[in-house]
Amino acid sequence: MGIFNFLLDFDFKVLFLFIFVFIIIADFLKNRNPPNYPPGPFSLPLVGNSFSLVRKHPNKYFSKLADIYGNLCSARIGVFNMVIVSGYKTLKEAIVTQADNFVDRPHFATGDRVYLGGTGGLFMSNGETWKRQRRFALSTLRNFGLGKRTMEQSICEEIRHLQEEIEKEKGEPFNPAGLFNNAVSNIICQLVMGKRFDYSDHNFQTMLKYMSEIPRLQGSVWGMLYEALPGVMKHLPGPHNKIFSHYDAVLDFLSQEIKSHKKDLDHSNPRDYIDAFIIEMENHNESDLGFTEANLALNSLDMFQAGSETTFNTLLWALVFLIKLPDIQDKVQAEIDGVIGQTRQPSMADRPNLPFTDAVVHEIQRMGNIVPFVGFRMAANDTTLGNYFIPKGTPLMLNLASVLFDKTEWETPDTFNPGHFLNAEGKFVKKEAFLPFSAGKRVCIGEGLARMELFLFLVGLLQKFSFSVPDGIELSTEAVTGTIRAPHPFKVYAKAR
Ligand code: HEM
């Protein structure tokens, strides 16, 4: 009996050892880099460099790799053997000069599960469906007011609501995140579903909370483990499951909106993106180029996710920097007082007359560095980038942070300096390396809207209030881990002017 047990035990040990060695060899062969592939750190079998990524802040880890290995380097994160593209010139070569080679996004486990196998939505989709959906979204953005007074009016109306809400705090310290999120999301609501939600709407607040948590969970260790081992992780309990329950809840909320839009649709008078999409759907076969109801919900979700988190967190960074630099806050207020005064609502026509304020908004976006790494692109063909070989199918990570802090492009890359965007006469000047919205064929579709929102919201807030923090509090410029760089929660005083 003892000998039998020993043999059984022994056989299993050999079998396990054999399987282990086989997996390691298969993993090595599968992930062997071709000659002249961008250099990178040694990576462990199976997990690659995932542990280093998790140990450090992911953003810091990628930036450090670029410092050590250069503007084109590689790392293996879970299943992805990816190339990290850094620095203005190299990044521009990839996404502008070689736009067609790097326009697609690779598949993600999370994206595949939520976005119809990676074929749905505006962000994850590729090919003809992406082109058609992107064009349709852009034309709807234009039709419903981007670049027209209507969107500007919606933003100004929302600023009034926000100002009233802040006044209710009566000068007591409050956390601005929830209010800013609701205000900015209401702009996307107007565009997508033709209405706004009150700041006390419990149901909407819950949706916003879920949408804020999703990028944080995706950027967390649990989110990364899911990406690396989806087949295993989907059966295990853990916070990663919240990613999917949150997505389901938000998509359900949007589907309800789509249903009620269908009930009172007037074909001759589309009110918003949902109406326009439903009308367009009637010209297409089921599943033709993504004109389906399921995809309408996913596209709407993308507008919220891409449009709200980014913009409201930039406004939070604005408070962080202006509170840390009260002289700059004073100077912006003085410029606004001189040009608009404290009672008239701001408009986009004021922007050319407020060069310092405009420069400050740009510098907030640069230092806020809200999307430090653009969710992947993928090489469509074997190609050469820099002097390196990039095989077809390689995922690329675009290090936008390295462009916004590129030492060869900015005078004082690590210091808040509105002078980056001003000439000697104090006039606003554009900078080529200012790429918070990325560039090329997949450049952010909401850039125009976001820039309008940031300018009007910031002017509207500083016109009415001076912001500070309770004595002894030092605001941090470090961010919470996640795919979007959000500041740590903080409370502010808003003193009426
Ligand atoms: C401060 C605000 C914003 C920032 C910093 C920002 C930044 C970005 C970045 C870096 C990308 C990735 C582009 C690439 O892959 O190269 C992107 C994509 C996208 N953004 Fe924005 N964004 C902002 C606001 C908005 C708004 C308001 C909307 C809504 C209309 C929006 C909708 C999108 C969409 C749908 C995409 C995917 C485009 C595609 O893959 O074709 N964004 N954004």
Side-chain angles (χ1 to χ4, degrees):
M1 215 38 192
I3 287 185
F4 180 73
N5 269 348
F6 170 77
L7 283 176
L8 198 69
D9 219 22
F10 177 78
D11 277 349
F12 271 121
K13 274 184 196 155
V14 171
L15 185 66
F16 278 130
L17 191 67
F18 177 77
I19 292 172
F20 183 70
V21 172
F22 176 79
I23 291 174
I24 299 284
I25 292 174
D27 180 79
F28 171 76
L29 292 175
K30 184 169 164 263
N31 288 293
R32 244 179 340 169
N33 290 336
N36 201 26
Y37 190 68
F42 168 77
S43 69
L44 291 168
L46 303 177
V47 290
N49 306 102
S50 306
F51 289 128
S52 312
L53 181 82
V54 167
R55 236 187 10 254
K56 301 188 178 160
H57 204 291
N59 299 337
K60 287 193 177 147
Y61 178 62
F62 288 127
S63 300
K64 184 138 196 270
L65 288 187
D67 286 346
I68 301 171
Y69 297 99
N71 283 342
L72 279 166
C73 61
S74 60
R76 208 181 132 199
I77 308 300
V79 283
F80 292 111
N81 188 354
M82 66 174 81
V83 167
I84 300 145
V85 186
S86 306
Y88 172 63
K89 289 191 177 70
T90 316
L91 197 120
K92 199 170 164 206
E93 188 192 334
I95 58 175
V96 179
T97 317
Q98 296 201 39
D100 287 325
N101 275 339
F102 298 112
V103 73
D104 285 345
R105 302 212 195 271
H107 283 267
F108 288 95
T110 317
D112 284 355
R113 189 163 152 186
V114 179
Y115 286 87
L116 310 171
T119 62
L122 292 163
F123 200 90
M124 293 303 300
S125 56
N126 287 324
E128 273 310 305
T129 305
W130 163 72
K131 261 192 209 155
R132 190 68 185 80
Q133 292 301 325
R134 181 176 164 102
R135 216 180 308 136
F136 184 76
L138 277 167
S139 76
T140 318
L141 270 163
R142 266 194 303 275
N143 293 343
F144 292 106
L146 189 62
K148 291 192 196 153
R149 288 245 348 128
T150 44
M151 191 48 78
E152 205 177 316
Q153 278 158 357
S154 296
I155 297 171
C156 287
E157 185 198 324
E158 198 57 50
I159 292 172
R160 278 195 295 276
H161 287 288
L162 181 61
Q163 288 167 342
E164 279 168 22
E165 226 36 52
I166 294 178
E167 272 158 17
K168 286 187 196 157
E169 302 291 341
K170 296 198 168 26
E172 291 300 313
F174 67 99
N175 182 341
L179 285 183
F180 282 16
N181 190 356
N182 203 329
V184 164
S185 300
N186 272 342
I187 307 301
I188 305 286
C189 283
Q190 294 278 15
L191 190 75
V192 173
M193 51 182 85
K195 64 177 180 193
R196 66 176 293 280
F197 290 88
D198 204 68
Y199 297 152
S200 56
D201 187 308
H202 179 69
N203 198 17
F204 190 58
Q205 293 295 330
T206 309
M207 292 306 122
L208 295 182
K209 188 172 140 261
Y210 289 167
M211 278 191 276
S212 288
E213 275 180 18
I214 290 171
R216 260 166 237 172
L217 288 163
Q218 280 176 327
S220 73
V221 180
W222 288 93
M224 283 179 206
L225 280 173
Y226 185 86
E227 279 307 322
L229 303 162
V232 179
M233 292 301 288
K234 76 173 173 202
H235 299 295
L236 297 182
H240 58 288
N241 292 307
K242 275 199 200 164
I243 298 175
F244 304 101
S245 57
H246 285 5
Y247 266 126
D248 287 346
V250 180
L251 284 169
D252 194 47
F253 169 77
L254 291 166
S255 300
Q256 300 297 333
E257 271 305 322
I258 295 170
K259 274 205 189 81
S260 77
H261 270 65
K262 276 170 94 178
K263 271 195 213 137
D264 45 30
L265 176 70
D266 173 359
H267 280 72
S268 57
N269 185 24
R271 296 156 293 183
D272 46 42
Y273 175 70
I274 294 185
D275 273 359
F277 196 100
I278 296 172
I279 295 170
E280 184 69 22
M281 256 165 56
E282 291 163 7
N283 301 326
H284 292 264
N285 298 328
E286 181 125 337
S287 80
D288 182 17
L289 295 175
F291 282 102
T292 64
E293 214 171 298
N295 204 31
L296 169 55
L298 291 168
N299 287 351
S300 307
L301 169 77
D302 277 0
M303 298 249 206
F304 274 102
Q305 277 225 305
S308 301
E309 286 297 307
T310 44
T311 314
F312 99 81
N313 276 302
T314 308
L315 286 175
L316 290 179
W317 282 119
L319 290 193
V320 170
F321 289 116
L322 294 178
I323 289 171
K324 287 178 95 61
L325 301 162
D327 290 352
I328 293 189
Q329 186 174 164
D330 289 348
K331 207 167 160 189
V332 172
Q333 283 173 328
E335 191 181 57
I336 296 170
D337 288 353
V339 175
I340 310 178
Q342 288 186 14
T343 46
R344 173 171 75 75
Q345 282 252 305
S347 84
M348 290 312 285
D350 292 317
R351 190 161 62 175
N353 303 322
L354 296 168
F356 185 74
T357 308
D358 200 8
V360 167
V361 175
H362 281 72
E363 188 65 354
I364 288 164
Q365 278 206 271
R366 189 186 74 79
M367 291 289 288
N369 177 24
I370 208 87
V371 187
F373 291 90
V374 168
F376 305 120
R377 300 293 191 84
M378 183 175 64
N381 306 296
D382 283 356
T383 186
T384 305
L385 186 60
N387 291 320
Y388 292 107
F389 174 62
I390 314 285
K392 178 178 175 175
T394 305
L396 258 78
M397 188 174 251
L398 308 178
N399 185 353
L400 285 188
S402 69
V403 180
L404 297 177
F405 293 84
D406 190 329
K407 290 181 180 58
T408 61
E409 301 288 334
W410 305 97
E411 204 183 317
T412 60
D414 299 316
T415 311
F416 192 97
N417 174 7
H420 284 139
F421 298 95
L422 293 168
N423 66 14
E425 288 82 50
K427 294 241 157 41
F428 180 82
V429 280
K430 281 188 181 161
K431 282 288 165 74
E432 287 217 346
F434 179 72
L435 293 185
F437 299 97
S438 188
K441 294 195 173 178
R442 272 203 113 121
V443 64
C444 172
I445 66 166
E447 173 170 356
L449 174 60
R451 287 159 68 97
M452 193 190 279
E453 288 183 70
L454 293 176
F455 176 77
L456 293 174
F457 270 108
L458 200 73
V459 171
L461 287 171
L462 291 174
Q463 208 182 14
K464 295 279 176 203
F465 306 100
S466 293
F467 293 92
S468 59
V469 280
D471 279 346
I473 301 280
E474 181 69 33
L475 292 180
S476 167
T477 51
E478 292 287 320
V480 178
T481 312
T483 46
I484 286 173
R485 252 188 110 253
H488 286 275
F490 61 95
K491 288 192 168 179
V492 287
Y493 285 119
K495 192 166 154 257
R497 301 182 60 213

